[in-house]
């Protein structure tokens, strides 16, 4: 890996000269860094050359801030699909802005980036500590969400009219790309607007971020589906439980749902191709040996086995075929031709998983992400996303975060553990 590929420098609007009003906590050293690599052998090339190993800025409150809290307003927008913890993050940002810094005006832009376009007629909500006091108890987002890009110039004009100094953009890859364009447009106009991303994707697929909020809750909910599939499969001879989980290009939910209870016999993810005939033959051997089987498939797996849809969604992503339905029909047809009677139960809990409130660990994670985002924004940082890396909260340039999609490495310990737990054969 080239050194130039790991430039974690964070853009700033200017010098921090205002004493922070935050009281009763320890301020972070502005030079604090968190190592990117955790293994000595990965750092060795930098050490051999006498260069410091790649490291991210450590997140946290600064003793001096850039913005005068009495003179700015802030904005929050949520984009893309819903995810456990969205309301927790909104609440954490509002409470931190109000109680830590004394910011009096916080706007919530409705229905994603569309809410930042004045001509679309979606006036923002004014968010106060009272209005957000109980929102963490419900799923979804009180602001609403949407997919698809909007014109950066129109969005920055709205921010300028409302005198917004910091925009918090909560979302995944597409949302962060939009946030980057907003930051660039504000810079082009010479406006001092900080744009801070908070990584939200149920698929946990944003690069340089170990875990995104809502992922743990999603895996916990997925466990209910795999448990039900296993219970059904145990209850009848030659019974199959087939569960489709979210994971468009990255199969992290599917992989971790396998590790939760060791009930799953086949895990199919986008990162590891498989042949249909190889899979079906392995499934038949499993039934002959054990009389039941549980299969977990991520939504993006096996797309090469199906006809292309030729369509795109509002975010510009190619619409995928439904691998769950495809496998259900393929399994039924295969065993019918083999004259082997089976009992197949198909479970698709996708929207149930993403609509629930955050579990306790995710709720605490959301609080810390929101607070870290506020501290970063008040210090004048911009065009960045709050990250969690090597057990610490950090800052990552949006450019790096969207440079590639994080995926399961088929050679990793994670995938090796999945193979060990399922016992599935090589089906390529």
């Amino acid at each position: 890996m080239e050194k130039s590929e790991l430039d974690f420098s964070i853009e700033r609007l200017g010098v921090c000269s205002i004493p922070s009003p935050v009281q009763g906590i320890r301020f972070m050293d502005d030079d604090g860094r968190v190592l990117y690599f955790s293994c000595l052998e990965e750092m060795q090339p930098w050490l051999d050359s006498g260069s410091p190993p790649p490291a991210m800025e450590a997140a946290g409150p600064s003793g001096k801030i850039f913005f005068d809290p009495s003179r700015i307003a802030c904005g929050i927008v949520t984009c893309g699909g819903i995810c456990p913890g969205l309301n927790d993050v909104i609440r954490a940002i509002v409470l931190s802005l109000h109680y830590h810094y004394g910011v009096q005006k916080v706007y919530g832009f409705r229905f994603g980036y569309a809410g930042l376009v004045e001509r679309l007629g979606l006036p923002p909500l004014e968010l106060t500590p009272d209005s957000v006091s109980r929102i963490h108890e419900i799923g979804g987002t009180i602001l609403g969400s949407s997919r698809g890009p909007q014109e950066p110039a129109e969005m920055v004009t709205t921010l300028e009219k409302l005198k917004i100094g910091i925009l918090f953009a909560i979302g995944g890859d597409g949302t962060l790309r939009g946030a980057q364009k907003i930051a660039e447009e504000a810079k082009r106009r010479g406006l001092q607007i900080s744009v801070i991303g908070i990584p939200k994707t149920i698929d946990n697929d944003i690069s340089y971020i170990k875990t995104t909020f809502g992922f743990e809750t999603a895996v916990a909910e997925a466990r209910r589906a795999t448990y039900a599939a296993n219970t059904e499969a145990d209850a009848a001879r030659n019974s199959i439980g087939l569960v489709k989980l979210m994971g468009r290009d990255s199969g992290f939910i599917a992989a971790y749902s396998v590790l939760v209870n060791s009930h799953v016999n086949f895990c199919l993810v986008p990162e590891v191709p498989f042949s249909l005939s190889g899979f079906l033959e392995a499934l038949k051997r499993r039934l002959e040996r054990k009389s039941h089987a549980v299969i977990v498939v991520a939504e993006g797996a096996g797309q090469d086995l199906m006809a292309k849809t030729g369509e795109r969604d509002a975010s510009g992503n190619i619409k995928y075929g439904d691998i769950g339905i495809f496998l259900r029909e393929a399994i039924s047809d295969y065993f019918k031709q083999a004259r082997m009677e089976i009992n197949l139960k198909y479970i698709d809990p996708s929207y149930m998983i993403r609509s629930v409130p955050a579990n306790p660990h995710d709720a605490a994670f959301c609080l810390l992400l929101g607070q870290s985002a506020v501290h970063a924004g008040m210090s004048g940082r911009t065009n960045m996303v709050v990250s969690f890396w090597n057990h610490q909260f950090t800052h990552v340039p949006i450019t790096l975060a969207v440079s590639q999609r994080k995926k399961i490495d088929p050679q990793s310990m994670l995938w090796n553990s999945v193979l060990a737990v399922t016992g599935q054969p090589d089906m390529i």
Side-chain angles (χ1 to χ4, degrees), residues 162-412:
L162 294 174
K163 295 181 171 56
I164 285 177
I166 310 171
L167 175 67
F168 299 96
I170 310 171
D173 182 82
T175 303
L176 295 178
R177 291 181 189 277
Q180 183 178 32
K181 291 178 180 178
I182 292 172
E184 291 169 351
E185 175 64 15
K187 182 178 180 179
R188 188 188 68 79
R189 294 193 196 183
L191 300 174
Q192 292 184 330
I193 298 176
S194 165
V195 182
I196 307 294
I198 296 98
K200 177 235 65 171
T201 162
I202 202 169
D203 292 346
N204 194 33
D205 60 358
I206 301 179
S207 292
Y208 304 99
I209 295 170
K210 178 64 175 176
T211 307
T212 51
F213 74 84
F215 174 70
E216 183 179 294
T217 303
V219 172
E221 287 298 306
R223 179 184 187 183
R224 295 159 62 92
T226 59
Y227 178 85
N230 184 66
T231 300
E232 289 285 353
D234 270 341
R237 184 171 177 270
N238 289 342
S239 188
I240 301 170
L242 172 61
V243 180
K244 187 184 84 170
L245 297 174
M246 285 187 166
R248 177 182 166 81
D249 297 300
S250 305
F252 288 104
I253 292 179
Y256 277 93
S257 74
V258 168
L259 304 181
V260 169
N261 52 27
S262 304
H263 287 160
V264 179
N265 311 113
F266 297 91
C267 180
L268 308 175
V269 296
E271 297 90 335
V272 183
F274 66 96
S275 75
L276 184 60
S277 60
F279 164 68
L280 293 172
E281 290 165 7
L283 177 59
K284 184 172 183 288
R285 291 194 297 271
R286 164 74 192 183
L287 291 182
E288 291 170 342
R289 192 170 70 254
K290 293 290 187 177
S291 189
H292 73 278
V294 177
I295 307 159
V296 165
V297 58
E299 63 179 307
Q303 292 301 308
D304 58 312
L305 305 176
M306 298 177 285
K308 306 299 182 186
T309 66
E311 301 176 6
R312 292 183 180 270
D313 62 20
S315 298
N317 299 313
I318 296 174
K319 288 187 177 181
Y320 283 173
D322 193 325
I323 186 62
I325 300 298
F326 175 82
L327 283 182
R328 185 182 67 180
E329 295 175 353
I331 291 169
S332 297
D333 291 343
Y334 175 81
F335 284 102
K336 186 178 295 183
Q337 293 178 17
R339 299 181 183 277
M340 184 174 176
E341 185 177 349
I342 62 168
N343 190 324
L344 175 61
K345 296 294 191 299
Y346 177 56
I347 301 172
D348 181 355
S350 299
Y351 295 103
M352 295 173 63
I353 284 174
R354 74 180 197 174
S355 64
V356 299
N359 68 16
H361 184 275
D362 254 338
F365 187 52
C366 289
L367 174 74
L368 297 174
L369 273 175
Q371 290 182 350
S372 296
V374 169
H375 297 319
M378 291 302 299
S379 68
R381 291 172 170 86
T382 189
N383 206 1
M384 56 147 281
V385 58
V386 181
S387 174
F388 187 69
W389 195 262
N390 279 339
H391 307 288
Q392 296 188 61
F393 290 91
T394 64
H395 302 152
V396 171
I398 290 180
T399 303
L400 273 185
V402 302
S403 61
Q404 59 186 346
R405 196 174 298 277
K406 185 175 72 177
K407 298 184 178 184
I408 294 174
D409 179 357
Q411 304 303 318
S412 66

Side-chain angles (χ1 to χ4, degrees), residues 90-152:
I90 294 169
R91 181 175 181 267
I93 293 172
V94 173
L95 296 183
S96 184
L97 285 170
H98 183 85
Y99 290 115
H100 293 158
Y101 291 97
V103 174
Q104 297 301 307
K105 282 282 186 182
V106 183
Y107 295 101
F109 294 103
R110 300 164 59 208
F111 301 108
Y113 283 137
L116 280 160
V117 179
E118 189 175 23
R119 61 182 171 79
L120 296 181
L122 297 169
L125 303 176
E126 188 165 339
L127 302 176
T128 66
D130 286 342
S131 70
V132 302
S133 63
R134 302 290 297 270
I135 65 173
H136 60 300
E137 298 173 6
I138 58 176
T141 164
I142 62 163
L143 299 180
S145 190
S146 69
R147 298 184 185 274
Q150 301 295 336
E151 179 56 46

